[in-house]
Amino acid sequence: MNSLVDPATPRPRQVRRVAVLLLTAVLGFSLALASAAPAQAASGYTITGVVTGLDATGTSVPLADAYLYAEPVDWNDNRNIYGHADAAGRFTIDVGEPGDYTLYANCSSGTACAETYGDQYYDRANGHGDATPVVVSTTTPVTANMRLPRWATVKGKVTSDAGAPIVGITVETAPTSGGTMVSTTTDATGAYTLAKVAPGSVAISAREERGQHNWTAEHWNGTSESTPTWPNPAPVLPAGPTVTTANFQLAQTSGFYGEAVDSAGAPIQGVGWTTYTYNTSTGDWDTPQYGPRMTDENGKFFWNTAVGGRYKVCFDDTYYGPAAPVRDLRYGSRCWDSAADSATATVLTQPATPLQRTLRVVLPTLGKSLTASDPWIDGVAKVGSPLKVYPGAWGPTGVQLAYQWGWYDEANGFAFMPVTGATATTYTPTADLTGKYVAVRVTGTLAGYATAQMLAGGHGKVGESGVALTSPLTITGTPAVGQVLTATHGTPANGAEIDYDSYEWRVDGVQAGWDKTLTLTSDMVGKTVHVRYSLRTTAGYDDTTYVATAGPVTAPLGTLTASTPTITGTAKAGSTLTAVPGTWGPAPVTLAYQWKRAGVAIAGATASTFALTGVDTGKAITVTVTGTKAGYTTAAKTSAATVAVAAGTLTAPVPTISGSRTVGATLTAVPGTWGPAPVTLAYQWYRSGVAITGATASTYKLTATDQTKTMTVRVVGSKTGYTSVAKTSAATTAVLGALTAPTPTISGSKIVGYTLTAVPGTWGPAPVTLAYQWYRSGVAITGATASTYKLTATDQTKTMTVRVVGSKTGYTSVAKTSAATTAVLGALTAPTPTIAGTKTVGSTLTATPGTWGPAPVTLAYQWYRSGVAITGANASTLALTTTDRGKTMTVRVTGTKTGYTSVAKTSAATTAIL
């Protein structure tokens, strides 16, 4: 390939121009380009000369197949000027205007000239940066003869340190001042031949293909040897002869593969990595000074080592830049071997054998991957001068962005140091940041996603950097599709010359261009455009960045074909009208509707149909149809008016009455569904056909006057624009009186075998016929319909209630239920106890309780002395003492059992104790 750009002159325009030049040189398009150029009058500002070369005998001969290219040195001048040598090697190039020009000559591709001679800049310079400018100042032709160098040929062999040939090694040349690069690969014997090598100072290297790590690259030193470092100065090749001594001996590569995998052992591509190399002279762990460093498609990277050297390996997944791969997941940081950070990482000391190994690290999953964008900072880094951050495009929707301003600590490896409280999108540096590099960190968070952070800096030190412009950065031009926006700004206010400047455009945060101008396309419609302008001056200032905004971008506007709409449907309240828009074009066209009443837009009436209401009665209706289409002017057409809207007919059902027909109860009118809603309803209640004064609500409470009468209600519906309608309900049955009905109670012991009695209370007006129904835990007991009920074993543990129903002719029957009793208890079998034993002081009496049931029954005892309870005498036996002499003794036995009523039985008294 041709390398025609001087690396020391990073001018984007020149890079692009050289790319065109390279295409011309390789494809031989010079004649076509020249012939395609439009004819124009000669300006008189010309460069003339002869293109020659030396033949094999060293004699100068003209070169007929050469073409030439003149480039204005002024990088703001974007003209491309071509020429061609005639059969005698002569050329004339009309450059159009005075100025300094860089002149380049080359042989057309595929010609005999191109097989023998290489390209050259004036005056005999191999690279663009070494070229001598041709100065055109008058209409007198300037002579600039060009001599093209003969190609050199380089041959040699590539072997291992042991002398074995190595096949497939790439050998390439690189002219140190720029020019044509040539490469080839070694054959099975390790031999190679480089043809058409540009003569002069040239670096020649032998290396493996990218991604291979078996052999260490070597560089030819101009003799028959090679070295692992670039020779300085580089060897100088003469023009024409063949060099046969460019041999290389390659050593096997010492190093390790760092490998990042997930928990399943799958490789993780694009994970950042860092190697730490122990520096024996400083005691520090040094890291590479370039990046981003990321694993390949196999989750690996290779690092060269020195035998005896000490190394650490760490991985992280925090890079979101342009080179980051597209992955669904993000991973946590880990070091070899399974360490959380570099401080605890395992140290690898490189042995003499094996020279290579793999260091595998398993990374934990943190969450899904956000789409992050490089943020921008707008403004000059000066105390009191506001800065603003533009975060760029983040995704997916819902990402929350947080901002933290800070500065880079030079003494601590340029670590980011946050400024407390500086968390807005803007920040004004304070005096304590003087001399420090200001920066901002943007953090994106979203549930289920790994947190992402991006840093923006590059503003130099506060108070020591920043280029003020004579006029601010703005975007000129119309933000519409097909238009060109231009970044417009002043020059450095201090008059310094611009050393370097650049532009970057973003559309809704996504990069869109790098020129001073941006042509807007249809996919940018509705989006916001930003441009960033960065510059550095020869006065020694660091880069300064400004940002300007334009948009949203609109589409170019065409003219729609628009029909006048018509209206179908009956112009009557309650009916629906339909807009018929007609044919609009070019299809598809988005149509919007607006209905109008007597020429006034109706709020919310924006569908293609419109339901007429009473408000419309007596008014004429129209509809306006508005057509929109991207890239076209919006058009609106209005229909002819309808006739005046006629009054509507209400939907009126017959009402019904709900509620108990009993004095004291409330009746409710159920009007049914009237329409179209809303309809205003009015009520009138009637007693046996006679209107009841004041009874005009939707409900009515029955009184004693209503007893034996039937009730009706009339509902009248009214609505603006509609004819009112009256509907009367069917009559109810005769209204009944209301009984006085107390809640009954239950008396009697709640024990199996006992009888419960219902106490109904006083019902009225007397006489009232009462009926009874007993319930066991809420379930009706068959046949238990008397006012009393004898408890049975089935009722044990259940609660009992009784319902009393009162009835009387002309009155509404009423049912009342008592409160539930406590749970019914069982009845224990309890015999009378006896006392056994001698009735003499010193003897022991024993209580014989008899058989209690149902077993088991818990028994408790209490002894009595002549009817007085003896304290503490609670056992089934009693030892007689002198206190008992002359007294009679009894014992009381109490039986208890869950679910049963407790029973106490007392024995007969003994004879007097002796």
Side-chain angles (χ1 to χ4, degrees), residues 297-329:
E297 65 276 8
N298 297 313
K300 292 184 176 181
F301 72 91
F302 185 83
W303 188 255
N304 291 101
T305 62
V307 174
R310 302 175 66 195
Y311 306 91
K312 296 180 181 181
V313 178
C314 293
F315 293 93
D316 67 82
D317 197 16
T318 58
Y319 180 70
Y320 285 82
V326 177
R327 272 194 281 105
D328 290 335
L329 298 177

PDB file of all heavy atoms in Angstrom, residues 297-329:
ATOM      1  N   GLU A 297     -12.030 -12.826  19.980  1.00  0.00           N
ATOM      2  CA  GLU A 297     -13.259 -13.615  19.872  1.00  0.00           C
ATOM      3  C   GLU A 297     -13.198 -14.911  20.668  1.00  0.00           C
ATOM      4  O   GLU A 297     -14.235 -15.540  20.944  1.00  0.00           O
ATOM      5  CB  GLU A 297     -13.557 -13.927  18.396  1.00  0.00           C
ATOM      6  CG  GLU A 297     -12.538 -14.808  17.712  1.00  0.00           C
ATOM      7  CD  GLU A 297     -11.333 -14.025  17.177  1.00  0.00           C
ATOM      8  OE1 GLU A 297     -11.222 -12.812  17.475  1.00  0.00           O
ATOM      9  OE2 GLU A 297     -10.530 -14.625  16.456  1.00  0.00           O
ATOM     10  N   ASN A 298     -11.998 -15.323  21.074  1.00  0.00           N
ATOM     11  CA  ASN A 298     -11.845 -16.517  21.904  1.00  0.00           C
ATOM     12  C   ASN A 298     -11.695 -16.171  23.383  1.00  0.00           C
ATOM     13  O   ASN A 298     -11.338 -17.036  24.196  1.00  0.00           O
ATOM     14  CB  ASN A 298     -10.630 -17.328  21.441  1.00  0.00           C
ATOM     15  CG  ASN A 298     -10.803 -17.847  20.028  1.00  0.00           C
ATOM     16  OD1 ASN A 298     -11.846 -18.396  19.686  1.00  0.00           O
ATOM     17  ND2 ASN A 298      -9.787 -17.658  19.184  1.00  0.00           N
ATOM     18  N   GLY A 299     -11.956 -14.894  23.712  1.00  0.00           N
ATOM     19  CA  GLY A 299     -11.845 -14.472  25.102  1.00  0.00           C
ATOM     20  C   GLY A 299     -10.408 -14.360  25.584  1.00  0.00           C
ATOM     21  O   GLY A 299     -10.175 -14.380  26.797  1.00  0.00           O
ATOM     22  N   LYS A 300      -9.430 -14.231  24.659  1.00  0.00           N
ATOM     23  CA  LYS A 300      -8.021 -14.280  25.040  1.00  0.00           C
ATOM     24  C   LYS A 300      -7.264 -13.025  24.615  1.00  0.00           C
ATOM     25  O   LYS A 300      -7.718 -12.235  23.783  1.00  0.00           O
ATOM     26  CB  LYS A 300      -7.341 -15.497  24.410  1.00  0.00           C
ATOM     27  CG  LYS A 300      -7.810 -16.836  24.938  1.00  0.00           C
ATOM     28  CD  LYS A 300      -6.984 -17.969  24.315  1.00  0.00           C
ATOM     29  CE  LYS A 300      -7.373 -19.323  24.894  1.00  0.00           C
ATOM     30  NZ  LYS A 300      -6.564 -20.412  24.329  1.00  0.00           N
ATOM     31  N   PHE A 301      -6.080 -12.879  25.201  1.00  0.00           N
ATOM     32  CA  PHE A 301      -5.072 -11.947  24.726  1.00  0.00           C
ATOM     33  C   PHE A 301      -3.713 -12.592  25.009  1.00  0.00           C
ATOM     34  O   PHE A 301      -3.600 -13.551  25.782  1.00  0.00           O
ATOM     35  CB  PHE A 301      -5.173 -10.587  25.436  1.00  0.00           C
ATOM     36  CG  PHE A 301      -4.719 -10.611  26.873  1.00  0.00           C
ATOM     37  CD1 PHE A 301      -3.389 -10.346  27.221  1.00  0.00           C
ATOM     38  CD2 PHE A 301      -5.614 -10.911  27.889  1.00  0.00           C
ATOM     39  CE1 PHE A 301      -2.972 -10.377  28.542  1.00  0.00           C
ATOM     40  CE2 PHE A 301      -5.208 -10.934  29.215  1.00  0.00           C
ATOM     41  CZ  PHE A 301      -3.880 -10.673  29.537  1.00  0.00           C
ATOM     42  N   PHE A 302      -2.660 -12.089  24.365  1.00  0.00           N
ATOM     43  CA  PHE A 302      -1.315 -12.626  24.600  1.00  0.00           C
ATOM     44  C   PHE A 302      -0.425 -11.508  25.092  1.00  0.00           C
ATOM     45  O   PHE A 302      -0.510 -10.371  24.625  1.00  0.00           O
ATOM     46  CB  PHE A 302      -0.744 -13.216  23.315  1.00  0.00           C
ATOM     47  CG  PHE A 302       0.585 -13.902  23.528  1.00  0.00           C
ATOM     48  CD1 PHE A 302       0.635 -15.211  23.997  1.00  0.00           C
ATOM     49  CD2 PHE A 302       1.787 -13.244  23.291  1.00  0.00           C
ATOM     50  CE1 PHE A 302       1.846 -15.852  24.215  1.00  0.00           C
ATOM     51  CE2 PHE A 302       3.004 -13.873  23.514  1.00  0.00           C
ATOM     52  CZ  PHE A 302       3.028 -15.182  23.980  1.00  0.00           C
ATOM     53  N   TRP A 303       0.458 -11.864  26.058  1.00  0.00           N
ATOM     54  CA  TRP A 303       1.379 -10.869  26.624  1.00  0.00           C
ATOM     55  C   TRP A 303       2.788 -11.454  26.616  1.00  0.00           C
ATOM     56  O   TRP A 303       3.025 -12.549  27.130  1.00  0.00           O
ATOM     57  CB  TRP A 303       0.965 -10.517  28.049  1.00  0.00           C
ATOM     58  CG  TRP A 303       1.750  -9.361  28.607  1.00  0.00           C
ATOM     59  CD1 TRP A 303       2.747  -9.396  29.511  1.00  0.00           C
ATOM     60  CD2 TRP A 303       1.574  -7.996  28.241  1.00  0.00           C
ATOM     61  NE1 TRP A 303       3.205  -8.124  29.760  1.00  0.00           N
ATOM     62  CE2 TRP A 303       2.504  -7.239  28.982  1.00  0.00           C
ATOM     63  CE3 TRP A 303       0.719  -7.331  27.363  1.00  0.00           C
ATOM     64  CZ2 TRP A 303       2.606  -5.862  28.869  1.00  0.00           C
ATOM     65  CZ3 TRP A 303       0.829  -5.953  27.253  1.00  0.00           C
ATOM     66  CH2 TRP A 303       1.758  -5.234  28.003  1.00  0.00           C
ATOM     67  N   ASN A 304       3.701 -10.683  25.990  1.00  0.00           N
ATOM     68  CA  ASN A 304       5.096 -11.121  25.962  1.00  0.00           C
ATOM     69  C   ASN A 304       5.739 -10.942  27.330  1.00  0.00           C
ATOM     70  O   ASN A 304       5.484  -9.951  28.020  1.00  0.00           O
ATOM     71  CB  ASN A 304       5.888 -10.325  24.923  1.00  0.00           C
ATOM     72  CG  ASN A 304       5.466 -10.662  23.504  1.00  0.00           C
ATOM     73  OD1 ASN A 304       4.726  -9.915  22.903  1.00  0.00           O
ATOM     74  ND2 ASN A 304       5.924 -11.772  22.985  1.00  0.00           N
ATOM     75  N   THR A 305       6.566 -11.912  27.703  1.00  0.00           N
ATOM     76  CA  THR A 305       7.227 -11.873  29.001  1.00  0.00           C
ATOM     77  C   THR A 305       8.714 -12.115  28.844  1.00  0.00           C
ATOM     78  O   THR A 305       9.189 -12.570  27.797  1.00  0.00           O
ATOM     79  CB  THR A 305       6.642 -12.942  29.936  1.00  0.00           C
ATOM     80  OG1 THR A 305       6.880 -14.236  29.362  1.00  0.00           O
ATOM     81  CG2 THR A 305       5.151 -12.749  30.142  1.00  0.00           C
ATOM     82  N   ALA A 306       9.430 -11.839  29.916  1.00  0.00           N
ATOM     83  CA  ALA A 306      10.856 -12.150  29.991  1.00  0.00           C
ATOM     84  C   ALA A 306      11.042 -13.229  31.052  1.00  0.00           C
ATOM     85  O   ALA A 306      10.384 -13.206  32.099  1.00  0.00           O
ATOM     86  CB  ALA A 306      11.664 -10.903  30.350  1.00  0.00           C
ATOM     87  N   VAL A 307      11.900 -14.180  30.775  1.00  0.00           N
ATOM     88  CA  VAL A 307      12.143 -15.253  31.740  1.00  0.00           C
ATOM     89  C   VAL A 307      12.615 -14.632  33.058  1.00  0.00           C
ATOM     90  O   VAL A 307      13.514 -13.789  33.079  1.00  0.00           O
ATOM     91  CB  VAL A 307      13.185 -16.250  31.193  1.00  0.00           C
ATOM     92  CG1 VAL A 307      13.553 -17.276  32.259  1.00  0.00           C
ATOM     93  CG2 VAL A 307      12.647 -16.933  29.952  1.00  0.00           C
ATOM     94  N   GLY A 308      11.967 -15.054  34.144  1.00  0.00           N
ATOM     95  CA  GLY A 308      12.278 -14.507  35.455  1.00  0.00           C
ATOM     96  C   GLY A 308      11.439 -13.295  35.826  1.00  0.00           C
ATOM     97  O   GLY A 308      11.446 -12.868  36.984  1.00  0.00           O
ATOM     98  N   GLY A 309      10.720 -12.748  34.855  1.00  0.00           N
ATOM     99  CA  GLY A 309       9.880 -11.601  35.134  1.00  0.00           C
ATOM    100  C   GLY A 309       8.652 -11.995  35.954  1.00  0.00           C
ATOM    101  O   GLY A 309       8.222 -13.144  35.959  1.00  0.00           O
ATOM    102  N   ARG A 310       8.083 -11.018  36.667  1.00  0.00           N
ATOM    103  CA  ARG A 310       6.921 -11.268  37.523  1.00  0.00           C
ATOM    104  C   ARG A 310       5.725 -10.483  36.989  1.00  0.00           C
ATOM    105  O   ARG A 310       5.836  -9.296  36.676  1.00  0.00           O
ATOM    106  CB  ARG A 310       7.226 -10.857  38.961  1.00  0.00           C
ATOM    107  CG  ARG A 310       8.432 -11.580  39.569  1.00  0.00           C
ATOM    108  CD  ARG A 310       8.756 -11.044  40.958  1.00  0.00           C
ATOM    109  NE  ARG A 310       7.681 -11.342  41.888  1.00  0.00           N
ATOM    110  CZ  ARG A 310       7.553 -10.758  43.080  1.00  0.00           C
ATOM    111  NH1 ARG A 310       8.420  -9.832  43.465  1.00  0.00           N
ATOM    112  NH2 ARG A 310       6.543 -11.081  43.874  1.00  0.00           N
ATOM    113  N   TYR A 311       4.556 -11.156  36.925  1.00  0.00           N
ATOM    114  CA  TYR A 311       3.401 -10.570  36.245  1.00  0.00           C
ATOM    115  C   TYR A 311       2.107 -10.887  37.002  1.00  0.00           C
ATOM    116  O   TYR A 311       2.011 -11.897  37.693  1.00  0.00           O
ATOM    117  CB  TYR A 311       3.281 -11.113  34.811  1.00  0.00           C
ATOM    118  CG  TYR A 311       4.550 -10.936  34.019  1.00  0.00           C
ATOM    119  CD1 TYR A 311       5.537 -11.929  34.000  1.00  0.00           C
ATOM    120  CD2 TYR A 311       4.774  -9.764  33.304  1.00  0.00           C
ATOM    121  CE1 TYR A 311       6.706 -11.763  33.287  1.00  0.00           C
ATOM    122  CE2 TYR A 311       5.946  -9.587  32.579  1.00  0.00           C
ATOM    123  CZ  TYR A 311       6.917 -10.589  32.576  1.00  0.00           C
ATOM    124  OH  TYR A 311       8.062 -10.410  31.871  1.00  0.00           O
ATOM    125  N   LYS A 312       1.120  -9.991  36.849  1.00  0.00           N
ATOM    126  CA  LYS A 312      -0.248 -10.221  37.302  1.00  0.00           C
ATOM    127  C   LYS A 312      -1.192  -9.958  36.130  1.00  0.00           C
ATOM    128  O   LYS A 312      -0.886  -9.147  35.253  1.00  0.00           O
ATOM    129  CB  LYS A 312      -0.620  -9.291  38.464  1.00  0.00           C
ATOM    130  CG  LYS A 312       0.191  -9.487  39.740  1.00  0.00           C
ATOM    131  CD  LYS A 312      -0.279  -8.499  40.816  1.00  0.00           C
ATOM    132  CE  LYS A 312       0.526  -8.634  42.102  1.00  0.00           C
ATOM    133  NZ  LYS A 312       0.043  -7.678  43.144  1.00  0.00           N
ATOM    134  N   VAL A 313      -2.357 -10.618  36.150  1.00  0.00           N
ATOM    135  CA  VAL A 313      -3.343 -10.471  35.083  1.00  0.00           C
ATOM    136  C   VAL A 313      -4.708 -10.165  35.703  1.00  0.00           C
ATOM    137  O   VAL A 313      -5.149 -10.888  36.593  1.00  0.00           O
ATOM    138  CB  VAL A 313      -3.450 -11.750  34.226  1.00  0.00           C
ATOM    139  CG1 VAL A 313      -4.520 -11.572  33.156  1.00  0.00           C
ATOM    140  CG2 VAL A 313      -2.117 -12.074  33.595  1.00  0.00           C
ATOM    141  N   CYS A 314      -5.380  -9.097  35.212  1.00  0.00           N
ATOM    142  CA  CYS A 314      -6.716  -8.750  35.680  1.00  0.00           C
ATOM    143  C   CYS A 314      -7.627  -8.443  34.496  1.00  0.00           C
ATOM    144  O   CYS A 314      -7.168  -7.953  33.454  1.00  0.00           O
ATOM    145  CB  CYS A 314      -6.679  -7.530  36.607  1.00  0.00           C
ATOM    146  SG  CYS A 314      -5.820  -7.838  38.177  1.00  0.00           S
ATOM    147  N   PHE A 315      -8.932  -8.747  34.679  1.00  0.00           N
ATOM    148  CA  PHE A 315      -9.943  -8.472  33.657  1.00  0.00           C
ATOM    149  C   PHE A 315     -11.017  -7.547  34.234  1.00  0.00           C
ATOM    150  O   PHE A 315     -11.342  -7.613  35.413  1.00  0.00           O
ATOM    151  CB  PHE A 315     -10.619  -9.773  33.197  1.00  0.00           C
ATOM    152  CG  PHE A 315      -9.713 -10.702  32.445  1.00  0.00           C
ATOM    153  CD1 PHE A 315      -9.023 -11.710  33.107  1.00  0.00           C
ATOM    154  CD2 PHE A 315      -9.553 -10.578  31.080  1.00  0.00           C
ATOM    155  CE1 PHE A 315      -8.200 -12.572  32.425  1.00  0.00           C
ATOM    156  CE2 PHE A 315      -8.731 -11.443  30.384  1.00  0.00           C
ATOM    157  CZ  PHE A 315      -8.041 -12.440  31.053  1.00  0.00           C
ATOM    158  N   ASP A 316     -11.561  -6.696  33.383  1.00  0.00           N
ATOM    159  CA  ASP A 316     -12.731  -5.905  33.764  1.00  0.00           C
ATOM    160  C   ASP A 316     -13.609  -5.739  32.532  1.00  0.00           C
ATOM    161  O   ASP A 316     -13.160  -5.922  31.402  1.00  0.00           O
ATOM    162  CB  ASP A 316     -12.325  -4.532  34.317  1.00  0.00           C
ATOM    163  CG  ASP A 316     -11.698  -3.644  33.257  1.00  0.00           C
ATOM    164  OD1 ASP A 316     -12.461  -3.025  32.490  1.00  0.00           O
ATOM    165  OD2 ASP A 316     -10.455  -3.576  33.187  1.00  0.00           O
ATOM    166  N   ASP A 317     -14.885  -5.399  32.759  1.00  0.00           N
ATOM    167  CA  ASP A 317     -15.853  -5.267  31.658  1.00  0.00           C
ATOM    168  C   ASP A 317     -16.519  -3.904  31.726  1.00  0.00           C
ATOM    169  O   ASP A 317     -17.744  -3.795  31.674  1.00  0.00           O
ATOM    170  CB  ASP A 317     -16.891  -6.394  31.749  1.00  0.00           C
ATOM    171  CG  ASP A 317     -17.654  -6.575  30.442  1.00  0.00           C
ATOM    172  OD1 ASP A 317     -17.191  -6.054  29.406  1.00  0.00           O
ATOM    173  OD2 ASP A 317     -18.713  -7.236  30.458  1.00  0.00           O
ATOM    174  N   THR A 318     -15.684  -2.848  31.827  1.00  0.00           N
ATOM    175  CA  THR A 318     -16.214  -1.506  32.031  1.00  0.00           C
ATOM    176  C   THR A 318     -16.089  -0.622  30.800  1.00  0.00           C
ATOM    177  O   THR A 318     -16.469   0.542  30.844  1.00  0.00           O
ATOM    178  CB  THR A 318     -15.467  -0.831  33.198  1.00  0.00           C
ATOM    179  OG1 THR A 318     -14.052  -0.799  32.909  1.00  0.00           O
ATOM    180  CG2 THR A 318     -15.689  -1.595  34.498  1.00  0.00           C
ATOM    181  N   TYR A 319     -15.558  -1.168  29.681  1.00  0.00           N
ATOM    182  CA  TYR A 319     -15.359  -0.327  28.499  1.00  0.00           C
ATOM    183  C   TYR A 319     -16.615  -0.332  27.636  1.00  0.00           C
ATOM    184  O   TYR A 319     -17.162  -1.388  27.300  1.00  0.00           O
ATOM    185  CB  TYR A 319     -14.167  -0.834  27.688  1.00  0.00           C
ATOM    186  CG  TYR A 319     -13.900  -0.004  26.456  1.00  0.00           C
ATOM    187  CD1 TYR A 319     -13.414   1.291  26.566  1.00  0.00           C
ATOM    188  CD2 TYR A 319     -14.166  -0.509  25.187  1.00  0.00           C
ATOM    189  CE1 TYR A 319     -13.183   2.061  25.444  1.00  0.00           C
ATOM    190  CE2 TYR A 319     -13.939   0.261  24.055  1.00  0.00           C
ATOM    191  CZ  TYR A 319     -13.443   1.544  24.189  1.00  0.00           C
ATOM    192  OH  TYR A 319     -13.219   2.316  23.073  1.00  0.00           O
ATOM    193  N   TYR A 320     -17.106   0.868  27.281  1.00  0.00           N
ATOM    194  CA  TYR A 320     -18.292   1.013  26.454  1.00  0.00           C
ATOM    195  C   TYR A 320     -17.997   1.852  25.211  1.00  0.00           C
ATOM    196  O   TYR A 320     -18.897   2.403  24.609  1.00  0.00           O
ATOM    197  CB  TYR A 320     -19.419   1.679  27.251  1.00  0.00           C
ATOM    198  CG  TYR A 320     -20.074   0.775  28.256  1.00  0.00           C
ATOM    199  CD1 TYR A 320     -19.495   0.566  29.508  1.00  0.00           C
ATOM    200  CD2 TYR A 320     -21.262   0.125  27.970  1.00  0.00           C
ATOM    201  CE1 TYR A 320     -20.099  -0.265  30.445  1.00  0.00           C
ATOM    202  CE2 TYR A 320     -21.869  -0.703  28.892  1.00  0.00           C
ATOM    203  CZ  TYR A 320     -21.282  -0.885  30.126  1.00  0.00           C
ATOM    204  OH  TYR A 320     -21.884  -1.720  31.048  1.00  0.00           O
ATOM    205  N   GLY A 321     -16.738   1.964  24.824  1.00  0.00           N
ATOM    206  CA  GLY A 321     -16.362   2.786  23.688  1.00  0.00           C
ATOM    207  C   GLY A 321     -16.707   2.162  22.353  1.00  0.00           C
ATOM    208  O   GLY A 321     -17.285   1.077  22.268  1.00  0.00           O
ATOM    209  N   PRO A 322     -16.296   2.830  21.234  1.00  0.00           N
ATOM    210  CA  PRO A 322     -16.647   2.346  19.895  1.00  0.00           C
ATOM    211  C   PRO A 322     -16.110   0.949  19.598  1.00  0.00           C
ATOM    212  O   PRO A 322     -16.702   0.205  18.822  1.00  0.00           O
ATOM    213  CB  PRO A 322     -16.001   3.388  18.976  1.00  0.00           C
ATOM    214  CG  PRO A 322     -15.825   4.599  19.822  1.00  0.00           C
ATOM    215  CD  PRO A 322     -15.571   4.105  21.206  1.00  0.00           C
ATOM    216  N   ALA A 323     -14.983   0.579  20.210  1.00  0.00           N
ATOM    217  CA  ALA A 323     -14.396  -0.727  19.926  1.00  0.00           C
ATOM    218  C   ALA A 323     -15.017  -1.847  20.752  1.00  0.00           C
ATOM    219  O   ALA A 323     -14.686  -3.017  20.557  1.00  0.00           O
ATOM    220  CB  ALA A 323     -12.885  -0.681  20.193  1.00  0.00           C
ATOM    221  N   ALA A 324     -15.914  -1.516  21.659  1.00  0.00           N
ATOM    222  CA  ALA A 324     -16.522  -2.545  22.510  1.00  0.00           C
ATOM    223  C   ALA A 324     -17.449  -3.417  21.675  1.00  0.00           C
ATOM    224  O   ALA A 324     -18.192  -2.934  20.827  1.00  0.00           O
ATOM    225  CB  ALA A 324     -17.305  -1.903  23.647  1.00  0.00           C
ATOM    226  N   PRO A 325     -17.425  -4.749  21.888  1.00  0.00           N
ATOM    227  CA  PRO A 325     -18.313  -5.631  21.130  1.00  0.00           C
ATOM    228  C   PRO A 325     -19.751  -5.503  21.614  1.00  0.00           C
ATOM    229  O   PRO A 325     -20.015  -5.002  22.705  1.00  0.00           O
ATOM    230  CB  PRO A 325     -17.756  -7.027  21.441  1.00  0.00           C
ATOM    231  CG  PRO A 325     -17.176  -6.880  22.811  1.00  0.00           C
ATOM    232  CD  PRO A 325     -16.608  -5.481  22.863  1.00  0.00           C
ATOM    233  N   VAL A 326     -20.685  -5.956  20.772  1.00  0.00           N
ATOM    234  CA  VAL A 326     -22.090  -5.974  21.163  1.00  0.00           C
ATOM    235  C   VAL A 326     -22.359  -7.270  21.917  1.00  0.00           C
ATOM    236  O   VAL A 326     -22.284  -8.357  21.356  1.00  0.00           O
ATOM    237  CB  VAL A 326     -23.009  -5.864  19.932  1.00  0.00           C
ATOM    238  CG1 VAL A 326     -24.475  -5.949  20.351  1.00  0.00           C
ATOM    239  CG2 VAL A 326     -22.732  -4.562  19.191  1.00  0.00           C
ATOM    240  N   ARG A 327     -22.620  -7.157  23.218  1.00  0.00           N
ATOM    241  CA  ARG A 327     -22.896  -8.331  24.055  1.00  0.00           C
ATOM    242  C   ARG A 327     -24.137  -8.066  24.889  1.00  0.00           C
ATOM    243  O   ARG A 327     -24.384  -6.937  25.292  1.00  0.00           O
ATOM    244  CB  ARG A 327     -21.711  -8.621  24.993  1.00  0.00           C
ATOM    245  CG  ARG A 327     -20.665  -9.499  24.382  1.00  0.00           C
ATOM    246  CD  ARG A 327     -19.691 -10.029  25.433  1.00  0.00           C
ATOM    247  NE  ARG A 327     -18.689  -9.060  25.828  1.00  0.00           N
ATOM    248  CZ  ARG A 327     -18.681  -8.400  26.958  1.00  0.00           C
ATOM    249  NH1 ARG A 327     -19.648  -8.576  27.836  1.00  0.00           N
ATOM    250  NH2 ARG A 327     -17.736  -7.542  27.254  1.00  0.00           N
ATOM    251  N   ASP A 328     -24.909  -9.134  25.156  1.00  0.00           N
ATOM    252  CA  ASP A 328     -26.111  -8.987  25.970  1.00  0.00           C
ATOM    253  C   ASP A 328     -25.761  -8.783  27.444  1.00  0.00           C
ATOM    254  O   ASP A 328     -26.504  -8.127  28.172  1.00  0.00           O
ATOM    255  CB  ASP A 328     -27.011 -10.221  25.842  1.00  0.00           C
ATOM    256  CG  ASP A 328     -27.640 -10.318  24.470  1.00  0.00           C
ATOM    257  OD1 ASP A 328     -27.782  -9.261  23.820  1.00  0.00           O
ATOM    258  OD2 ASP A 328     -27.968 -11.433  24.043  1.00  0.00           O
ATOM    259  N   LEU A 329     -24.645  -9.381  27.891  1.00  0.00           N
ATOM    260  CA  LEU A 329     -24.322  -9.390  29.317  1.00  0.00           C
ATOM    261  C   LEU A 329     -23.037  -8.638  29.607  1.00  0.00           C
ATOM    262  O   LEU A 329     -22.168  -8.504  28.737  1.00  0.00           O
ATOM    263  CB  LEU A 329     -24.196 -10.841  29.822  1.00  0.00           C
ATOM    264  CG  LEU A 329     -25.456 -11.708  29.729  1.00  0.00           C
ATOM    265  CD1 LEU A 329     -25.148 -13.125  30.187  1.00  0.00           C
ATOM    266  CD2 LEU A 329     -26.584 -11.120  30.558  1.00  0.00           C
TER     267      LEU A 329
END
